[in-house]
Structure formats: structure tokens, C-alpha cells
Amino acid sequence: MGRLVPVLFGYAAFQQLNAGCRLGLFDLLEKEGPLSAERVAEALDIERRAADVLLLGTTALGLTEVADGAYRNGPPVATAFAQGLWPVLKDIVEFQDRVSYLPAADYTESLRTGENVGIRHFPGDTRDLYTRLSGVPGLEELFYRCMHSWSALSNPVLVEGTDFTGVRRVLDVGGGDAVNAIALARAHPELRITVLDRPGALEVAERNIREAGLAERVETAAADIFTDPYPGGHDCVLFAHQLVIWSPEQNLALLRKAHQAVEPGGRVMVFNAFSDDDGAGPLYAALDNVYFTTLPFRHSTIYRWEQCEGWLREAGFTEVGRTTGTGWTPHGVVTGRRAAAP
Ligand SMILES: C[S@@+](CC[C@H](N)C(=O)[O-])C[C@H]1O[C@@H](n2cnc3c(N)ncnc32)[C@H](O)[C@@H]1O
């Protein structure tokens, strides 16, 4: 029954990480560790009792370590700092704290009703999270900053692991703040990319593209991805973190639009997290599904690889294949090609 402990106290495990981030514990230990509990209490400006409670929590979870009464960051946190990924991870923790955490308590009700009940935490009367973002001051910025970090963490499988040979112009459907478009443009100097999204997202995207000095190769187009036509002239359509939001029927409709948007020989790429075909994991996908069930839209799900591959075939794509990532998240890319004209 010991396996119940991290599950029963799952909410508490997250709050140990969250408090360590918000109080600056991990930044402090990275800069000045190893440190005694007394020094941690002083530096974080909290009572000694509070420091003891926090350090017990983070240490038991492996986020910090103690030897001879001195604390340092544990392996996952130390690795994130060493790889330059700590700011990315901190954004993701903030996303879980400020966006995902309270709505997760609506999971049972969401399963029971088939609705994304957690969306009630964000004002508005539309049914998907994205159209509600602009209703809360600062939420749009927070969402795109944190979404940026989720993508930056997981997109090496797309940017470095996927073959773009022969691709010249990518249409990045629902491209958000252009995080993937910018990474692709940097990695593949011959690529031009169009980011298609809601006007609110594109404000952030245009700033990022300008700051990256890529305005000549990365452009934006405001459109509704379902109801507006896709701009022509692209030989690859990318859906990044997009087909996890919608129902299988909507995904098929999006893929059919992609099939029409490219000339014969053109490609489609679907980049997001996938769950295993045997329905047994991985744990990341299983737990992330609580966010997808309670928040973005009533049908959001981390689908199995083979479901996605099936939609591509049904939409008319051939040469359907998958690229699995090598990181600790279950991200990957499913690709297909519109058959070349005979
Ligand atoms: C989960 S985010 C992914 C953003 C980006 N592709 C990434 O991987 O970081 C989904 C994106 O789809 C956009 N989106 C959702 N519904 C849309 C619609 N109907 N029309 C245009 N964009 C939409 C959102 O604004 C958001 O940027």
C-alpha cells in the first residue's frame, strides 16, 4: 500500500515544488548551497520552523538533498540548472499553479458530464479556454509565456529529430507565440514559416519574431483554424500542441484542411505528447490528461499514437510515420505526405 503515498498526497507533492520555486529555495541553493536550514530560513526570510517543513518536503521528494545538515539541490533540479532549463521549468510550475491546479479539482465532474468543467475558473461564456484568455488581465501573457516553455522543453524532437529535407514553407496552425516557428527557422535557415492563430496570440508572436530578428522568414496570419481558409503556398502544415485540444472529428476536419492546403507531395506534421498504444501509460500522459479533461475544451485528450496515425490516413495522407522523442516527456511527431500526382 506504500505506493498510495505519493498519490494520496499528490496535491501536497506539487505544493512542495511550487513553494520551493516561489520562495526562491532552489535558486538560493543553486547560487549559495550547500546551506544549513538556519541559513535557508534567513535567506528566504521565513521562520526556522517553516524552513524545516519545506526542506523536509523537498528532500523527501528528491528535489533537494541533505548531508551533514547542509542542503543542496537534488538531481532533477540540479540537472535543470545545468542544462539551462531552470527558467523553463519554473514557468511550467507557475502554469500548473495558476492555470491547472484549481480546475483539477473538477476532474470527477468533468468525467461524469463529459464537459471541461474546470473552465468555470476563468470568466466568459465560450466553451474553450483560448477564447477566455483575454477576459482576465495578464492571463493571456501568462498562458503564452508558459505555453512557450512547455514547447521549448519538448520541441527538440520536432526541431532536431524530424526530417525537413525538401520542405520550404511551413504553415504553423495554431502556432501560438511562434515558439516552434522561431526554433525551426533558426535550425533550418532555408525554411519560411507562417504562424496562423488568434489575433491575441499573434501580438505576442509578432513581438517574439521581431526580437528574434526573423521577420523576413517568419510571418503571421490571423485566422480561425476551423472556419477560415488556410493561406496557400505552403508545402508543410504543422499542428503543434493542437490536436490534443479537439475531438477526433474536429482533428479529422483540420487534417483534411491541411491535405487541401498543400500541393501533392506536401507534408503534414503533428507534434505533441502521445499516450502509448497499449493504454498503459506513460505516467506523464496519464496525469497531464487531468488538465486536458478539465480545461482546454470538452474533448481535449492526449491521444494514442495510432489514433493520430489513423486520422492522417483517413484524411488522405500516405507514408504515415512517427518519430519518438528521447527526452523525459512523451512528445513526438506523426508525419504524413499528400501523395504526389501520378
Ligand atoms: C496549446 S496552444 C499551442 C501553441 C503552439 N502551437 C505551441 O505548441 O506552443 C494552442 C493554440 O491554438 C490556438 N487556437 C485555439 N483555437 C483556435 C482557433 N479556433 N483559431 C485559431 N487559433 C486557435 C490558441 O490561440 C493557441 O495558441
Side-chain angles (χ1 to χ4, degrees):
M1 290 187 71
R3 285 183 66 182
L4 282 174
V5 173
V7 183
L8 204 51
F9 294 97
Y11 72 97
F14 173 72
Q15 292 302 348
Q16 300 288 3
L17 173 63
N18 191 28
C21 288
R22 291 180 58 187
L23 293 170
L25 170 67
F26 306 112
D27 289 303
L28 172 72
L29 294 180
E30 167 67 12
K31 229 165 57 204
E32 296 178 32
L35 291 177
S36 68
E38 191 61 43
R39 283 282 301 116
V40 168
E42 272 169 31
L44 300 188
D45 197 22
I46 56 177
E47 285 180 9
R48 171 62 198 267
R49 184 195 69 85
D52 284 342
V53 171
L54 176 62
L55 286 166
L56 171 61
T58 55
T59 304
L61 287 166
L63 303 172
T64 53
E65 289 178 339
V66 62
D68 300 326
Y71 292 85
R72 71 174 81 202
N73 284 328
V77 175
T79 305
F81 274 107
Q83 295 184 354
L85 285 173
W86 181 245
V88 166
L89 207 63
K90 254 192 357 187
D91 277 348
I92 291 174
V93 172
E94 188 179 345
F95 185 88
Q96 303 293 56
D97 179 31
R98 294 179 57 192
V99 178
S100 320
Y101 195 82
L102 289 180
D106 293 316
Y107 183 51
T108 308
E109 199 53 18
S110 299
L111 290 175
R112 193 175 275 140
T113 59
E115 296 292 335
N116 49 334
V117 178
I119 202 169
R120 70 187 174 89
H121 294 269
F122 302 93
D125 49 19
T126 53
R127 293 310 312 154
D128 73 282
L129 178 63
Y130 306 99
T131 42
R132 291 198 186 191
L133 291 177
S134 53
V136 183
L139 184 62
E140 199 139 45
E141 280 291 325
L142 169 79
F143 183 87
Y144 288 109
R145 172 163 57 81
C146 297
M147 191 60 236
H148 182 104
S149 283
W150 281 112
S151 279
L153 179 73
S154 55
N155 71 14
V157 65
L158 172 72
V159 177
E160 295 154 23
T162 303
D163 183 11
F164 279 82
T165 309
V167 176
R168 287 171 299 106
R169 287 198 67 190
V170 177
L171 180 64
D172 183 5
V173 176
D177 77 338
V179 53
N180 300 308
I182 290 171
L184 284 172
R186 284 189 174 136
H188 303 281
E190 72 291 353
L191 275 190
R192 300 178 69 82
I193 301 153
T194 309
V195 179
L196 193 82
D197 209 298
R198 304 166 41 249
L202 294 184
E203 272 177 40
V204 189
E206 278 156 18
R207 194 180 61 218
N208 289 344
I209 294 164
R210 252 193 333 272
E211 284 173 8
L214 286 166
E216 299 211 334
R217 290 199 291 129
V218 184
E219 61 191 57
T220 62
D224 184 289
I225 62 172
F226 288 104
T227 54
D228 289 326
Y230 291 173
H234 299 89
D235 54 3
C236 177
V237 177
L238 169 66
F239 294 102
H241 291 126
Q242 189 60 238
L243 302 196
V244 283
I245 304 172
W246 313 110
S247 68
E249 294 73 24
Q250 287 169 307
N251 288 340
L252 197 52
L254 290 174
L255 287 163
R256 287 198 166 114
K257 287 188 77 163
H259 192 265
Q260 278 177 1
V262 295
E263 295 294 317
R267 304 177 65 184
V268 66
M269 297 185 182
V270 179
F271 160 61
N272 47 238
F274 290 94
S275 60
D276 294 341
D277 289 331
D278 66 3
L283 187 60
Y284 179 111
L287 299 183
D288 203 9
N289 257 343
V290 173
Y291 164 78
F292 283 103
T293 304
T294 54
L295 261 185
F297 185 60
R298 63 196 295 268
H299 290 290
S300 309
T301 303
I302 300 186
Y303 293 100
R304 298 179 194 184
W305 291 92
E306 61 187 16
Q307 283 175 287
C308 183
E309 290 162 348
W311 302 326
L312 261 66
R313 289 192 192 95
E314 208 174 327
F317 290 100
T318 57
E319 298 178 39
V320 174
R322 63 174 83 167
T323 307
T324 50
T326 52
W328 57 273
T329 74
H331 283 77
V333 183
V334 169
T335 55
R337 191 182 289 279
R338 178 172 174 177

